[in-house]
Amino acid sequence: MAIAIVLATLAAHETPVTLVFMALLFCWMGWKREALLHIGIMAVLTAGFFLLQEIRSQDSFDYSAPYTGELRFDGDYAIDGDGLRGFARLDGGTRVYAKYRIATAEEKAALEESLFESLLVIQGTFEAPSPPSHRFSFDMQKHLDDNGAKHILAVESISGVKRQETVISKLHGQRQWLKKHIQNTFPSSLSVEAEALLIGEQDNMANEDRLMYQTLGITHLFAISGLHVAILVGIVYFVLLRLRVRKETALVLLLGILPVYAVLAGGAPSVLRSVFMVSAVLFVRLFNLRVSIAHILLGSFVFFLLWNPFMMYDIGFQLSYGATFGIIYSSRFLTADQSAIKSGLILTAISQVTLYPLLLFHFYEISLSAFLVNSLFVPLYTLFILPANLVLLALTFIFQPATEFVFGIYEPMRALIEKLMVWLSGLPYQMWNPGKPEAWMLAALFVSVLLFYSLAEQGFRYWQVLVLIVPAVVFTLLPYFDSALKVAFLDVGQGDSAVIELPYRQGVYVIDSGGLLRFDTEEFKKRGKPYEVGRQIVAPYLKGNGLSSVDALVLSHADADHAEGAEELFPLLRIKELHLSPGSQVEGIIQDIAPFAKEAAVRFPGRGSGWAKGGATFRYLSPADAEYEGNNDSLVLLVESGEYRVLFTGDLEEAGERDLEAAYGGALSRLTVLKVGHHGSKTSSSQAFLELVKPRLSIFSTGIDNRYGHPSEEVVDRFNALGLPTLNTADTGTIEMEIKDGQVTLQTMR
């Protein structure tokens, strides 16, 4: 009954990964013959925690009225450029997601200096979060729900700042000070890694480095884990013993130090789990208690859910407990006569196999090279890089000249390791990208992992690996049996981007990549991590659908809202061809893309060119010459599959439409879908052109409340007068069209 309550509560939260995770936990405990009393207590407590979460989620706060009062940001806030945002508490403890636009460089400096210990007196209004662009993009409402917040509070002004020092705020202050100390004393080539390894700070890590670590499957090395904490404890314990401190006293000191370190290291769920478990082990050792590591793990799990049930939805929490759970409950693989190297390989394999369904659910892809690469880099970071950073940090406090000498030796060695990483990450076909599994497939993948362990522990045989491989292969191959032609018009805000997937996945084509206009601004307003349409909207849609290779990326013309995002796509995807409007290669934005597109074959198609594949034909209807002059030289692409015809017009304006009418006439009539030219600008979609093409559906691709007023009211009235149905991505989000067995189905995000 208790388990049923848990599962029903989780299902109500629409978090299938959590549902599967908890079901797997109880199944595995039962298979391991844990005492029924332990399983029952675990189930009852977990049910109670999630019911408690439901109670905590209910409040009577009036979100319809403006708010004037006090606000304190939690420790995970971020100041980037002129933006301050993060979760915060209001009067009475209500949790919200607060955001504030900083007015001056002086105000930014003041907030950076003291926000961690400040209680702000503010005025603001509540607003609803923007819906996600598509089912694989960031969902702000889900982010709020998963963190126990209700609304977004847009702070309009800060009228007062009250300094309130607490133990936690002082520790946060020390964390900020330590972060600056590392930045000031470590070479720039080493400081970012040191911040990640020593205090869990990854905000300054470059996207290129993140991508490299993800490709190699070693991202986890830069999060504070149990291994990090154990090494730190071991070093401190060794030093204390050498200072003639009694063992019992050393253990007590460590038990006092570890909670402090948890705050200094950022307090992420993986840090808290690691500190809790290491502290529990030290406590057990101090009092000579007999408690198994499995019970310590389960005890910490219960403790954190009681403290904050919303932790269950944190990815780091799931990955941290998932890996530790798999290792502890598969300890039979680690026999006493195995070498340290062999044991390390087995531990790596267990953690990778245990977590791979979870990684696919959250990130849609995993590194195939992770097993071998981790076999090299886990010992390297454990035995060399992490201890080296700890020693170097200590030296910066003891004797800076000695630190400079050691840096002179360590930095070139670390540079060689970096070159090795870059070379390894450049090897092709390392990432397996089957896409995001649905709940039933996620359950099947987890069951295959559990079944594999069950069989292997009775006596490993190589054929048992098929238990893991077969479900993974089936999941990968499913799209190749789908006979539908799919066309998606992505919601990229004020811009264009569309994805075409041929039946049986015979071809994938991306028409435009979206993008933003970038303007010069004051230095303090420049963001370290600017919003990137290609990386945050287009690439997740492709990868979420299991699409990591693109046959052709078509950039209709050289406007930022059509092409700027391409720069971010090339490092993330294998793009075979790049199609550009003839003459547009001299434009600045295309030249910015060129260094990233070196491996793609560049084509300059014009009127009359095209290709056929997978039962579909692709024909370029424009431009007719190689002189690029702007919107009317957009690549206009007609896609035909049987009786279904989709026309992509880029930013074609009325003069370009007249040119198409003269060249093709009635051949353009009765379109299935028209991607409306120039986002519905009044300079496009003329009466004569619409009367000629008579589309069954027309798509406006615009941003919500965009500065240009697209689509023009005049143009919308023209469509309505002709009885031509329209959809606008600003209203509906991403629009997905599927053509299968003579039927057309449409699905929108909202």
Side-chain angles (χ1 to χ4, degrees):
M1 180 63 184
I3 295 178
I5 294 174
V6 173
L7 300 185
T9 306
L10 291 172
H13 276 269
E14 298 180 348
T15 54
V17 66
T18 312
L19 175 65
V20 173
F21 187 78
M22 292 299 298
L24 178 64
L25 173 65
F26 288 121
C27 289
W28 207 333
M29 288 175 66
W31 172 64
K32 283 291 186 177
R33 299 181 181 179
E34 286 283 350
L36 289 177
L37 177 62
H38 295 158
I39 298 177
I41 292 174
M42 182 75 176
V44 171
L45 287 174
T46 306
F49 298 159
F50 279 93
L51 292 176
L52 177 62
Q53 172 183 316
E54 288 295 314
I55 296 173
R56 288 178 178 177
S57 298
Q58 300 173 7
D59 64 57
S60 57
F61 198 92
D62 183 9
Y63 294 101
S64 62
Y67 176 78
T68 299
E70 295 178 339
L71 173 146
R72 179 190 292 278
F73 276 94
D74 294 343
D76 55 352
Y77 63 84
I79 298 177
D80 190 9
D82 62 345
L84 163 63
R85 55 187 62 226
F87 288 101
R89 298 280 179 181
L90 306 180
D91 295 335
T94 298
R95 198 173 199 219
V96 297
Y97 186 84
K99 61 180 185 179
Y100 174 63
R101 185 72 66 186
I102 300 171
T104 65
E106 292 74 20
E107 183 184 25
K108 179 179 179 179
L111 289 172
E112 288 177 330
E113 181 68 26
S114 62
L115 186 59
F116 59 87
E117 59 182 7
S118 297
L119 189 66
L120 306 180
V121 180
I122 61 100
Q123 296 81 40
T125 56
F126 296 99
E127 59 183 43
S130 300
S133 170
H134 52 73
R135 62 185 184 276
F136 306 114
S137 63
F138 177 71
D139 187 340
M140 188 62 188
Q141 183 62 63
K142 183 177 183 301
H143 185 56
L144 294 178
D145 294 340
D146 289 353
N147 284 276
K150 284 294 185 181
H151 280 70
I152 296 175
L153 175 61
V155 177
E156 296 167 351
S157 64
I158 299 175
S159 57
V161 178
K162 300 178 181 179
R163 301 286 287 269
Q164 288 193 346
E165 287 192 359
T166 64
V167 173
I168 297 297
S169 70
K170 287 181 178 179
L171 289 176
H172 279 301
Q174 290 300 309
R175 171 178 164 80
Q176 296 297 322
W177 175 83
L178 188 57
K179 177 181 174 180
K180 291 181 179 179
H181 176 78
I182 292 172
Q183 293 172 349
N184 293 332
T185 57
F186 277 61
S188 58
S189 62
L190 301 175
S191 63
V192 173
E193 181 176 74
E195 289 177 45
L197 293 175
L198 300 176
I199 59 172
E201 178 62 64
Q202 298 186 32
D203 286 348
N204 294 325
M205 191 176 290
N207 285 328
E208 295 77 11
D209 290 336
R210 291 180 187 273
L211 179 59
M212 177 175 66
Y213 302 143
Q214 182 182 352
T215 301
L216 296 175
I218 58 174
T219 305
H220 62 95
L221 294 177
F222 300 91
I224 305 294
S225 66
L227 185 62
H228 286 66
V229 177
I231 292 172
L232 176 65
V233 167
I235 292 175
V236 175
Y237 186 68
F238 175 81
V239 171
L240 290 174
L241 292 183
R242 289 294 175 270
L243 294 175
R244 304 294 180 87
V245 176
R246 295 176 62 246
K247 291 183 179 180
E248 293 77 9
T249 305
L251 292 175
V252 172
L253 289 173
L254 286 170
L255 286 171
I257 291 171
L258 281 172
V260 174
Y261 177 69
V263 178
L264 292 177
S270 62
V271 177
L272 297 176
R273 180 203 62 79
S274 303
V275 167
F276 185 100
M277 290 192 65
V278 172
S279 298
V281 170
L282 295 177
F283 184 85
V284 166
R285 182 176 177 181
L286 179 63
F287 292 98
N288 294 317
L289 303 176
R290 299 187 64 180
V291 182
S292 71
I293 190 67
H295 290 157
I296 291 176
L297 174 69
L298 295 176
S300 70
F301 187 77
V302 170
F303 172 81
F304 285 120
L305 287 186
L306 178 61
W307 179 34
N308 180 10
F310 294 101
M311 272 194 181
M312 175 58 77
Y313 304 120
D314 183 89
I315 297 174
F317 184 90
Q318 294 172 9
L319 294 176
S320 179
Y321 270 96
T324 309
F325 182 80
I327 290 171
I328 290 176
Y329 277 88
S330 300
S331 57
R332 290 184 188 176
F333 290 120
L334 303 172
T335 60
D337 60 346
Q338 288 175 346
S339 66
I341 294 177
K342 186 175 181 180
S343 295
L345 291 174
I346 293 175
L347 283 173
T348 300
I350 289 172
S351 61
Q352 294 291 324
V353 169
T354 303
L355 293 179
Y356 96 85
L358 200 58
L359 291 170
L360 288 182
F361 184 84
H362 287 300
F363 305 110
Y364 324 138
E365 61 184 355
I366 60 175
S367 171
L368 294 176
S369 61
F371 173 69
L372 292 176
V373 172
N374 273 277
S375 300
L376 169 63
F377 285 104
V378 168
L380 183 63
Y381 270 79
T382 302
L383 302 175
F384 176 59
I385 293 179
L386 178 58
N389 277 274
L390 288 169
V391 171
L392 286 166
L393 178 62
L395 283 175
T396 61
F397 293 110
I398 299 171
F399 189 52
Q400 186 64 32
T403 310
E404 298 299 330
F405 174 76
V406 177
F407 275 135
I409 299 173
Y410 175 72
E411 189 173 12
M413 297 173 64
R414 185 59 186 85
L416 291 175
I417 296 172
E418 182 77 9
K419 289 181 180 179
L420 175 61
M421 286 181 170
V422 172
W423 178 78
L424 287 173
S425 66
L427 297 176
Y429 306 110
Q430 294 190 65
M431 300 300 291
W432 173 42
N433 174 220
K436 182 176 182 177
E438 297 181 7
W440 68 271
M441 178 55 73
L442 181 68
L445 296 177
F446 268 130
V447 167
S448 73
V449 172
L450 179 60
L451 182 58
F452 168 74
Y453 284 147
S454 303
L455 294 171
E457 287 196 357
Q458 304 305 316
F460 178 73
R461 301 290 184 274
Y462 286 107
W463 66 265
Q464 294 165 356
V465 179
L466 293 174
V467 175
L468 291 172
I469 293 177
V470 170
V473 171
V474 169
F475 176 42
T476 303
L477 294 180
L478 281 176
Y480 295 89
F481 293 92
D482 189 347
S483 61
L485 170 66
K486 301 174 183 178
V487 182
F489 298 88
L490 304 186
D491 175 18
V492 292
Q494 184 61 29
D496 267 17
S497 186
V499 178
I500 302 171
E501 183 183 348
L502 297 182
Y504 308 108
R505 197 157 280 183
Q506 296 176 79
V508 177
Y509 306 94
V510 177
I511 318 297
D512 287 327
S513 61
L516 298 174
L517 292 171
R518 309 287 183 182
F519 301 100
D520 290 335
T521 185
E522 296 176 71
E523 189 64 31
F524 86 93
K525 293 183 178 181
K526 293 180 180 178
R527 296 182 59 182
K529 294 183 178 179
Y531 180 73
E532 297 176 323
V533 173
R535 186 183 304 275
Q536 295 171 247
I537 300 295
V538 183
Y541 183 84
L542 292 165
K543 295 203 170 190
N545 279 300
L547 301 170
S548 58
S549 179
V550 175
D551 291 272
L553 170 61
V554 179
L555 299 182
S556 63
H557 62 300
D559 277 3
D561 58 340
H562 292 251
E564 192 258 354
E567 181 177 313
E568 299 129 32
L569 295 183
F570 281 99
L572 300 173
L573 304 161
R574 293 191 300 274
I575 299 176
K576 299 175 184 177
E577 293 186 5
L578 173 63
H579 293 191
L580 301 173
S581 181
S584 65
Q585 65 270 25
V586 300
E587 300 295 318
I589 194 166
I590 303 300
Q591 292 182 348
D592 291 340
I593 295 169
F596 299 90
K598 292 178 179 178
E599 296 182 4
V602 181
R603 307 277 187 258
F604 298 95
R607 176 173 293 172
S609 60
W611 70 96
K613 193 173 184 180
T617 60
F618 299 76
R619 287 192 294 157
Y620 284 109
L621 310 184
S622 180
D625 57 48
E627 185 178 354
Y628 181 77
E629 295 179 330
N631 288 344
N632 281 321
D633 287 313
S634 295
L635 288 172
V636 176
L637 181 64
L638 178 64
V639 182
E640 298 177 285
S641 178
E643 63 184 62
Y644 302 100
R645 310 163 75 223
V646 184
L647 185 65
F648 298 89
T649 58
D651 272 358
L652 201 69
E653 298 183 336
E654 185 173 353
E657 294 170 354
R658 289 198 300 268
D659 186 41
L660 288 184
E661 295 167 24
Y664 295 97
L668 293 176
S669 64
R670 310 302 300 176
L671 293 176
T672 307
V673 177
L674 168 68
K675 200 296 296 180
V676 178
H678 205 182
H679 320 286
S681 165
K682 62 183 179 181
T683 61
S684 304
S685 304
S686 64
Q687 183 85 12
F689 183 69
L690 295 182
E691 289 177 350
L692 172 64
V693 297
K694 295 179 181 176
R696 290 161 55 184
L697 176 66
S698 298
I699 307 292
F700 294 110
S701 185
T702 73
I704 298 174
D705 298 327
N706 64 85
R707 68 175 67 186
Y708 308 101
H710 293 160
S712 163
E713 184 176 347
E714 174 185 333
V715 170
V716 173
D717 291 342
R718 194 175 300 149
F719 275 91
N720 292 337
L722 292 172
L724 302 176
T726 63
L727 290 175
N728 188 344
T729 57
D731 302 322
T732 65
T734 292
I735 302 166
E736 296 176 305
M737 180 178 71
E738 185 175 286
I739 301 171
K740 186 176 183 179
D741 300 327
Q743 300 293 322
V744 179
T745 58
L746 281 176
Q747 182 176 352
T748 61
M749 273 301 299
R750 49 187 184 270

